[in-house]
Amino acid sequence: MPRKAKAGAPSTIGSNPERNRSHNRRVVLDVVHQLGPVGRMEISRHAHLSTQAVSNIVEELVADGLLIKTGRLRAGRGLPPIQFAVNPDGGMTAGIEIAADHISTLLADIGGRVRAQRTTPLPRNDPETVLPIIKAEIEAARAQIKSPVPQLLGVGVVMPGPFNVEGMSSVGPTTLSGWLDFDAAAGIGALLDLPITLENDATAAAVGERLHGVARDLKNFCLIYFGQGLGLGIMIDGRPYRGANGNAGEIGHVMVKKGGRLCSCGQHGCLEAYASMQALSEKLSAAGIHLADEVHLERLHREKHPVVMAWLQEAADYLAPQIAMLENLFDPEAVVIGGALPPGLMEDLAQAMQPLPLSVARRRNRSEARLIHGRTGQFTAALGAAALPLLETMTPRLDTAQAAHRERSNEEISLAG
C-alpha cells in the first residue's frame, strides 16, 4: 500500500525498502510524467526516495523503454545532470466505453497524448455481440497510428451502472443486457490477453475531465455525466470516489417525482426519466421524430424545435435542485456537466438552471462559477477509461501534478525574491 503523505508534502511519496520496488517505479514514472524533463536529484526530492534508489529505477525504466534520456541540463558548475522524460512511444493504453447503443475506443500514449479514437454503433449490447467488436475496434484504432506503434499496456473498460443491485431490473434503453452474471474484466481480459480495469462510466468521465478537461485545477468536484442515461462522477481530494461496490453517483436513479415516469431500473419518477438523452429521444419519438445522431440534435436545437425546448426546461427544473443537493453534500469547488449533449444544448441547459437554488456553495469570496461545462465531449468517459490502467500501474494519485508544480512555482518565486 502507498505510504500516506505528511501534511504539506508532495502527494506522490516513495518508500525505500526493496519490497516496495513496484510502487516506487510508479512513483518515479509519475514524477517524470508530471515534471519532465527532469534529473535524478529532482526526482529523488519529489519522490522522497534515495538518490541510489532513483538511479536504479530510472535505469530500469529506460531499459524498459518507458523513459528516455533528453540530454544534460546546462546550468551551474560541474557536470550537468542527465535529464529524463516519459517516452511517448514506450507504451499506450486503450479506453473503451461500452454504451447502450455504441462503443467508443480511444488510444492514448503514456505521455497523455491521444493517438486514435473511434466510435461505432452497436446492433445489440450483449457480451456475445460486444466482445468481438471491442477486439476489432482496438485493432482498427492501432492501424490508424503511424509506425512505430507503442505497445499496449492495458485496457480501461467503462459501462453504465448500477452494478449488481437487487431489485433493480436494469433492463431498458439506457442499460446493457446480459452483463449481470458476466465477469466483464475476466472475459475481456481473456479475449485481449491484457490487464483490464473496469469502471462506472460517470466515474471514468470525471477522471477524463480531471486529466484532460475543464477540471484540471479542481481537486474536489462533481461531474453530472450525460450518456444515454444520467450518471455522476465524484472527485474528492484528487481521487475518484467509488463507494463500497462501485455504485457511488447513481444520480439518475434518485427519485424526483413520486409516481412519475417509468425508469429502466424499475422505479417510477427517477431523474433519468426526465433529464437524460434517452428522455429527450423518447419525447422526440412520441412526436414522430427519430433522433439520428448528434448533428441531427444540434440542428433541432438550433431551430428551437418545441420538443427540444420543452425537454430543456423540464430537465433544468429537475436538475437544478440536484446541483444544490450535491453542493450541500460534498461542498465541491464546482459542479461540471458534460458528456454526450451537444455543446450548445449543454450551455442552454446550464443557463436554464439559473439562478441555482441556495446552497453552501454561495459564498461571498467565491470567484469561480458554481456550474461549469465539460470540454472533452463524447469521448470524456473513454479518455478516463484510457487513464485507468495508468492510474492503477503508474500514478498513485491524481493530484500529483498540482502538488509538484506548486512546489516548483514556490521555488521559482523564492529564487526570484
Side-chain angles (χ1 to χ4, degrees):
M1 291 291 290
R3 194 174 67 195
K4 283 188 177 181
K6 295 179 180 179
S11 57
T12 303
I13 294 180
S15 182
N16 283 307
E18 185 68 21
R19 68 178 182 274
N20 294 326
R21 193 172 194 82
S22 178
H23 171 68
N24 290 343
R25 279 171 57 98
R26 296 197 299 269
V27 171
V28 168
L29 193 55
D30 188 41
V31 170
V32 179
H33 178 255
Q34 303 296 351
L35 298 180
V38 62
R40 291 185 183 92
M41 290 291 290
E42 194 169 357
I43 297 171
S44 174
R45 188 161 55 85
H46 284 287
H48 290 212
L49 289 167
S50 69
T51 306
Q52 185 58 54
V54 166
S55 182
N56 293 339
I57 292 170
V58 164
E59 291 305 315
E60 283 184 9
L61 293 172
V62 169
D64 291 344
L66 299 177
L67 294 184
I68 54 174
K69 298 178 182 180
T70 61
R72 294 183 180 272
L73 179 66
R74 300 292 177 182
R77 290 176 292 182
L79 184 65
I82 297 174
Q83 303 291 286
F84 298 90
V86 170
N87 179 9
D89 294 322
M92 63 182 178
T93 57
I96 306 289
E97 181 189 15
I98 307 173
D101 60 351
H102 70 275
I103 284 183
S104 292
T105 304
L106 182 143
L107 300 179
D109 62 37
I110 59 175
R113 183 161 60 101
V114 174
R115 293 296 192 93
Q117 57 189 40
R118 298 172 54 85
T119 297
T120 189
L122 285 175
R124 296 186 307 278
N125 58 32
D126 56 276
E128 292 75 16
T129 302
V130 169
L131 263 62
I133 294 176
I134 289 176
K135 186 172 184 178
E137 284 298 290
I138 289 179
E139 291 173 354
R142 294 186 70 177
Q144 293 177 208
I145 302 174
K146 294 180 180 179
S147 183
V149 180
Q151 62 176 323
L152 196 54
L153 303 175
V155 180
V157 177
V158 300
M159 56 183 65
F163 301 134
N164 302 321
V165 179
E166 187 176 349
M168 280 192 175
S169 64
S170 295
V171 175
T174 65
T175 61
L176 304 180
S177 59
W179 293 79
L180 183 61
D181 298 315
F182 181 78
D183 188 336
I188 298 171
L191 177 75
L192 301 178
D193 193 25
L194 285 166
I196 304 296
T197 307
L198 191 65
E199 187 58 89
N200 175 290
D201 57 355
T203 300
V207 171
E209 201 66 59
R210 170 82 162 110
L211 295 176
H212 301 280
V214 72
R216 285 187 179 187
D217 296 325
L218 303 179
K219 290 177 65 176
N220 295 276
F221 70 93
C222 296
L223 170 71
I224 295 178
Y225 179 65
F226 284 86
Q228 195 65 14
L230 191 71
L232 176 72
I234 305 166
M235 200 69 71
I236 297 176
D237 289 337
R239 294 183 178 186
Y241 177 72
R242 298 178 172 90
N245 300 291
N247 286 323
E250 283 297 335
I251 195 172
H253 300 295
V254 170
M255 188 181 295
V256 295
K257 186 174 182 179
K258 187 176 181 180
R261 294 175 193 155
L262 179 65
C263 178
S264 61
C265 73
Q267 293 191 110
H268 287 264
C270 289
L271 179 61
E272 186 175 285
Y274 300 91
S276 68
M277 286 285 289
Q278 181 60 31
L280 174 55
S281 180
E282 288 175 0
K283 278 183 170 290
L284 288 168
S285 181
I289 301 171
H290 172 67
L291 192 58
D293 52 26
E294 184 178 344
V295 174
H296 186 196
L297 179 54
E298 286 177 332
R299 179 170 60 80
L300 292 173
H301 174 236
R302 192 167 53 249
E303 295 171 354
K304 297 189 182 300
H305 192 283
V307 172
V308 175
M309 303 312 290
W311 171 86
L312 193 152
Q313 190 57 58
E314 182 178 61
D317 289 344
Y318 282 113
L319 271 173
Q322 304 305 315
I323 302 293
M325 178 194 70
L326 293 173
E327 291 170 334
N328 286 333
L329 286 174
F330 298 106
D331 190 23
E333 295 166 79
V335 175
V336 182
I337 55 172
L341 280 184
L345 189 55
M346 191 92 70
E347 185 175 340
D348 280 1
L349 177 61
Q351 186 59 43
M353 282 189 259
Q354 304 297 332
L356 290 169
L358 178 65
S359 79
V360 298
R362 190 177 293 179
R363 303 184 303 273
R364 285 184 179 179
N365 62 345
R366 187 179 187 94
S367 58
E368 68 279 1
R370 290 168 62 184
L371 188 62
I372 56 180
H373 313 144
R375 293 178 184 166
T376 48
Q378 65 175 336
F379 282 96
T380 302
L383 276 167
L388 293 175
L390 294 183
L391 295 179
E392 293 293 329
T393 61
M394 186 179 102
T395 310
R397 286 192 60 146
L398 281 171
D399 54 358
T400 305
Q402 281 67 27
H405 285 302
R406 185 165 55 249
E407 185 169 329
R408 175 177 275 184
S409 297
N410 289 339
E411 291 170 358
E412 291 172 351
I413 291 171
S414 177
L415 289 171

